[in-house]
Amino acid sequence: MDGGSVYLGVFSGMGVFYITTPIYYPNAPPHLGHAYTTVFADVLARYHRLIGDEVFFLTGTDEHGLKLQRVAEREGVSPKEFVDRMAGVYREYWAMLDISYDRFIRTTDPDHERVVVEAVRRLYEKGLIYKAKYSGWYCVDCEKFYSEGEYEVVGGKPYCPIHRKPLEFLEEETYYFRLSVFEDFLRRILSEGGIVYPDQYAREVLGKIDKEGLRDVSIARPRERVWWGIPLPWDRDYTVYVWFDALLNYVTGAGYLSDEERFKKYWGGVHHVIGKDILWFHTAIWFSVLEALEIPPPKKLIVHAFVINRGLKMGKSAGNIVRIEDLVERYHGSDGARYIIARIFNLYRDVEVSNELLDSFYNSELVDTYGNLVRRVGVLAKKKLNGIVENRGLESGLEKKITETIEAYREAMDKYETPQAITAVMDLLREANAYVNKTRPWEKQEPIEELYSLLETIKYATIMLSPITPRAAGRTSQALGFTITNPYETRLGGQEKYIIREAPILFKKIK
Ligand SMILES: [Zn+2]
């Protein structure tokens, strides 16, 4: 199988930034874990819109399968009624965090169901799907079989290592996808590098292939057991397994089999964002499915580690689930919540956070360093210059610092390191605050150069923070009279004058 390579010339993806989150399993409302991935993806989407790329941002819900079938049964509604309700809940949460997705895809959407049927039929016709018997220990919540060594043993019985509950022994005749034939392809593509980011995760997958090899995977469930899903087109006694159904959302969203022109345009620029827990699915399995369908692998698979939130105590939530509404309440709105998520985000390793740490980021950076400067400069400009600040040149120290910051910011964003991008901007703002204290513009008659230099600094800082704190950016730009434009194409010192409408108070301090 080497069919994918023939398409590479067609899928160029130049100037196109297609970004996806995993589609979430809507058995319960989203929490901090979901917000971590989704806010990060949204920051990247907004950043690429800012720098002029054509962006398509896809998120959604994974709505089929046994677990949802059972949850709906418990609630006494049909699975469709249940997922309709939960898709609405997810949209509400994403609105709460100002997530700017372009499409909210649901695996029950008709265009997606068509893609799944056609994709599974193509693989079957290629001989990549076959029927065989399977028996083993199965976790209903994971919807997956566990082999020996993978499960835990409690009181002599096999237990799910994730859900800590007894596994069920299942024997069933099912259909398999021939994952094993893609071993050479996977080794090649993963060792070449460049797709999985950071590269440590590609090495992790290669290590797993070395150790365990590649086994064929079940691609369907007997309908008598799992009826809530898409039937196999050639054997309606079977339902397509949710993993296959879910992964294909990424191609559906770009127009696969419905708008080939659009698909070719967007697929060349596709960036998947995932947590490291679903790394295997999104590499070994997803890259092989794509290869089997003669579709090139994604341009980037961005993998992140987790936030360990033992130390967080918010609202009434129990255990280690932090509710999004508590986060938004504590940090006075979406900007504050988004800021702390982007500030602690880490691709490489799990980070342990506490209220003290998050509060200090919020208070000392967003409130004291950014918010106070905007307020202070706004008030001074109104009082000293009647709110009209003309360009009489830019102070050279700040000019140099702004230029350096733009470079550092760009470098960080190219590496998807939102905390570094934020830190660079905060350094600039700290320097601006120091400049205010040093030059004491309140003691001067007409501090034109000082205030113009400070307004230019605020403008660039606001533009660079705009993917993270879009509301504050909108408010600041209106209040101080500038527009949010591509920072790499805006001329430093190019604004003729600033007309100040108000001196806004952007953020409320946490006491
Ligand atoms: Zn489980």
Side-chain angles (χ1 to χ4, degrees):
M1 294 302 302
D2 203 8
S5 53
V6 299
Y7 284 89
L8 286 173
V10 183
F11 293 87
S12 80
M14 285 293 286
V16 167
F17 190 79
Y18 171 29
I19 185 158
T20 68
T21 72
I23 48 172
Y24 303 114
Y25 215 64
N27 57 320
H31 52 70
L32 175 62
H34 304 88
Y36 197 66
T37 312
T38 309
V39 165
F40 172 72
D42 187 65
V43 169
L44 295 188
R46 287 176 184 270
Y47 171 71
H48 281 271
R49 285 189 202 110
L50 177 68
I51 64 170
D53 284 336
E54 200 175 334
V55 171
F56 186 71
F57 177 15
L58 183 75
T59 189
T61 37
D62 177 6
E63 302 191 343
H64 290 126
L66 187 57
K67 197 154 90 185
L68 285 170
Q69 182 184 311
R70 287 193 179 169
V71 172
E73 268 165 21
R74 259 206 311 277
E75 303 245 325
V77 293
S78 72
K80 185 64 169 66
E81 280 174 291
F82 182 77
V83 294
D84 282 349
R85 187 169 80 211
M86 291 307 291
V89 169
Y90 270 70
R91 286 172 184 272
E92 279 169 28
Y93 276 93
W94 298 152
M96 213 185 281
L97 286 169
D98 287 322
I99 303 301
S100 62
Y101 58 80
D102 295 296
R103 176 172 173 185
F104 188 95
I105 194 170
R106 304 177 54 190
T107 52
T108 50
D109 287 341
D111 63 339
H112 179 70
E113 295 195 344
R114 272 198 309 277
V115 164
V116 173
V117 168
E118 181 58 18
V120 80
R121 192 186 60 73
R122 286 185 186 188
L123 299 189
Y124 187 60
E125 283 170 1
K126 284 184 164 196
L128 290 168
I129 292 174
Y130 64 93
K131 200 175 190 182
K133 246 201 181 71
Y134 191 86
S135 63
W137 294 99
Y138 183 81
C139 173
V140 175
D141 288 339
C142 298
E143 298 201 36
K144 104 175 229 188
F145 283 100
Y146 281 96
S147 50
E148 223 183 299
E150 284 180 335
Y151 57 70
E152 288 175 358
V153 180
V154 181
K157 290 206 174 83
Y159 270 63
C160 172
I162 293 161
H163 295 98
R164 318 245 154 191
K165 55 196 244 185
L167 298 174
E168 299 175 20
F169 191 79
L170 274 189
E171 184 177 65
E172 60 186 39
E173 181 145 66
T174 186
Y175 287 91
Y176 281 87
F177 172 58
R178 287 190 202 278
L179 184 64
S180 53
V181 304
F182 295 94
E183 188 163 333
D184 290 343
F185 160 77
L186 282 173
R187 280 183 195 283
R188 178 167 58 77
I189 205 156
L190 289 168
S191 47
E192 272 171 6
I195 298 175
V196 181
Y197 189 91
D199 193 51
Q200 68 187 56
Y201 295 108
R203 291 196 298 274
E204 195 179 311
V205 176
L206 279 167
K208 186 172 170 178
I209 296 174
D210 283 341
K211 209 168 123 215
E212 297 165 21
L214 273 180
R215 272 168 295 190
D216 294 347
V217 287
S218 172
I219 199 170
R221 307 296 316 278
R223 196 155 189 79
E224 56 184 14
R225 197 175 298 283
V226 187
W227 58 267
W228 175 237
I230 301 168
L232 287 181
W234 67 88
D235 186 346
R236 299 187 67 85
D237 288 340
Y238 285 86
T239 306
V240 173
Y241 219 135
V242 275
W243 66 261
F244 184 75
D245 182 344
L247 283 171
L248 286 170
N249 92 86
Y250 300 132
V251 291
T252 305
Y256 183 58
L257 301 181
S258 66
D259 186 343
E260 285 299 300
E261 203 68 359
R262 191 168 161 271
F263 180 62
K264 278 176 184 152
K265 177 170 141 190
Y266 283 112
W267 192 255
V270 62
H271 295 66
H272 296 316
V273 176
I274 63 160
K276 63 181 183 178
D277 57 328
I278 48 177
L279 174 64
W280 179 256
F281 266 106
H282 280 79
T283 48
I285 296 179
W286 180 226
F287 292 3
S288 299
V289 167
L290 287 169
E291 178 71 0
L293 292 169
E294 296 169 33
I295 299 170
K299 184 171 184 185
K300 280 274 181 284
L301 177 78
I302 306 165
V303 188
H304 66 74
F306 295 123
V307 50
I308 303 169
N309 53 8
R310 276 196 293 269
L312 287 189
K313 292 170 200 73
M314 291 183 188
K316 297 172 279 289
S317 53
N320 64 354
I321 304 285
V322 175
R323 299 192 312 169
I324 290 168
E325 55 268 48
D326 295 339
L327 206 63
V328 170
E329 196 192 314
R330 185 172 187 89
Y331 297 104
H332 301 298
S334 60
D335 275 358
R338 294 168 60 93
Y339 184 83
I340 61 127
I341 289 173
R343 184 68 177 79
I344 60 172
F345 194 83
N346 200 306
L347 298 168
Y348 298 87
R349 59 204 152 269
D350 295 346
V351 285
E352 193 155 357
V353 293
S354 62
N355 282 23
E356 290 70 28
L357 180 73
L358 301 190
D359 290 358
S360 79
F361 284 147
Y362 175 83
N363 276 341
S364 76
E365 297 180 353
L366 214 45
V367 183
D368 291 345
T369 307
Y370 179 41
N372 274 4
L373 183 72
V374 170
R375 170 78 181 159
R376 230 172 150 189
V377 171
V379 167
L380 279 167
K382 289 211 104 153
K383 207 166 138 192
K384 291 282 174 183
L385 303 170
N386 257 331
I388 297 169
V389 185
E390 286 176 7
N391 184 357
R392 298 270 176 84
L394 191 54
E395 195 272 325
S396 63
L398 282 177
E399 181 176 12
K400 183 163 167 277
K401 185 71 182 173
I402 296 171
T403 309
E404 286 168 6
T405 305
I406 294 170
E407 269 318 299
Y409 174 82
R410 183 177 211 157
E411 225 170 85
M413 291 306 280
D414 282 349
K415 292 189 288 181
Y416 317 111
E417 309 259 5
T418 51
Q420 266 101 309
I422 289 172
T423 312
V425 177
M426 285 300 147
D427 275 351
L428 170 65
L429 290 167
R430 265 187 289 269
E431 186 147 326
N433 278 299
Y435 175 80
V436 177
N437 295 336
K438 196 184 77 190
T439 56
R440 308 170 78 83
W442 59 88
E443 289 177 353
K444 293 181 181 165
Q445 202 70 39
E446 284 200 322
I448 302 176
E449 191 194 334
E450 288 85 348
L451 291 178
Y452 181 83
S453 302
L454 288 163
L455 285 162
E456 276 290 280
T457 309
I458 289 172
K459 171 166 126 180
Y460 277 90
T462 299
I463 288 172
M464 287 187 271
L465 289 175
S466 68
I468 297 152
T469 49
R471 281 178 189 263
R475 180 133 184 247
T476 306
S477 69
Q478 276 188 0
L480 304 185
F482 61 85
T483 45
I484 307 278
T485 50
N486 184 346
Y488 311 135
E489 288 175 3
T490 309
R491 195 164 63 84
L492 191 50
Q495 182 150 339
E496 217 174 284
K497 61 173 175 246
Y498 285 88
I499 300 171
I500 313 300
R501 288 192 190 83
E502 56 154 344
I505 297 168
L506 294 176
F507 308 104
K508 259 190 279 178
K509 200 155 187 163
I510 297 176
K511 293 272 154 34

Coordinates of all heavy atoms in Angstrom, one line a residue, residues 139-143 146 160-165 167, ligand 1:
C139 N -14.1 -3.9 28.2 CA -14.6 -2.8 29.0 C -15.7 -2.1 28.3 O -15.4 -1.5 27.2 CB -13.5 -1.9 29.5 SG -14.2 -0.4 30.4
V140 N -16.9 -2.0 28.8 CA -18.0 -1.3 28.2 C -17.7 0.2 28.1 O -18.1 0.8 27.1 CB -19.3 -1.6 29.0 CG1 -20.4 -0.8 28.4 CG2 -19.6 -3.1 29.0
D141 N -17.1 0.7 29.1 CA -16.9 2.2 29.1 C -15.9 2.6 28.1 O -16.0 3.6 27.4 CB -16.6 2.7 30.5 CG -17.8 2.7 31.4 OD1 -18.9 2.6 30.9 OD2 -17.7 2.6 32.6
C142 N -14.8 1.8 28.0 CA -13.8 2.1 27.0 C -14.2 1.6 25.6 O -13.7 2.0 24.6 CB -12.5 1.3 27.3 SG -11.7 1.8 28.9
E143 N -15.2 0.7 25.6 CA -15.6 0.0 24.4 C -14.4 -0.6 23.7 O -14.1 -0.5 22.5 CB -16.3 1.0 23.4 CG -17.5 1.6 24.0 CD -18.5 2.1 22.9 OE1 -18.6 1.5 21.8 OE2 -19.2 3.1 23.2
Y146 N -9.4 -5.8 26.3 CA -8.0 -5.7 26.9 C -7.4 -7.1 26.9 O -8.0 -8.1 27.2 CB -8.2 -5.2 28.4 CG -8.4 -3.7 28.4 CD1 -9.6 -3.2 28.5 CD2 -7.3 -2.9 28.4 CE1 -9.8 -1.8 28.6 CE2 -7.4 -1.5 28.4 CZ -8.7 -1.0 28.6 OH -8.9 0.4 28.6
C160 N -10.7 -3.1 34.3 CA -10.3 -2.1 33.4 C -9.3 -1.2 34.2 O -9.5 -0.7 35.2 CB -11.4 -1.3 33.0 SG -10.9 0.2 32.0
P161 N -8.1 -0.9 33.5 CA -7.1 -0.1 34.2 C -7.5 1.4 34.3 O -7.0 2.1 35.1 CB -5.8 -0.3 33.3 CG -6.4 -0.7 32.0 CD -7.6 -1.4 32.2
I162 N -8.4 1.8 33.4 CA -8.9 3.2 33.4 C -10.1 3.3 34.3 O -10.2 4.2 35.2 CB -9.2 3.6 32.0 CG1 -7.9 3.7 31.2 CG2 -9.9 5.0 32.0 CD1 -8.1 3.7 29.7
H163 N -11.1 2.4 34.2 CA -12.3 2.6 34.9 C -12.4 1.8 36.2 O -13.3 2.0 37.0 CB -13.5 2.2 34.0 CG -13.7 3.1 32.8 ND1 -13.2 2.8 31.6 CD2 -14.2 4.4 32.7 CE1 -13.5 3.8 30.8 NE2 -14.1 4.8 31.4
R164 N -11.4 1.0 36.4 CA -11.3 0.2 37.7 C -12.6 -0.5 38.0 O -13.1 -0.5 39.1 CB -11.0 1.2 38.9 CG -10.0 2.2 38.6 CD -8.8 2.0 39.4 NE -7.6 2.5 38.7 CZ -6.4 2.3 39.0 NH1 -6.0 1.6 40.0 NH2 -5.4 2.9 38.3
K165 N -13.2 -1.1 36.9 CA -14.3 -2.0 37.2 C -14.1 -3.3 36.4 O -13.3 -3.4 35.5 CB -15.6 -1.3 36.8 CG -15.7 -0.7 35.4 CD -16.8 0.3 35.3 CE -17.9 -0.2 34.3 NZ -18.9 0.7 34.1
L167 N -14.0 -6.4 34.0 CA -14.2 -6.5 32.5 C -15.2 -7.6 32.3 O -15.4 -8.6 33.1 CB -12.9 -6.8 31.9 CG -11.8 -5.8 32.0 CD1 -10.4 -6.3 31.4 CD2 -12.2 -4.5 31.3
Ligands
ZN1 ZN -12.6 1.0 30.8

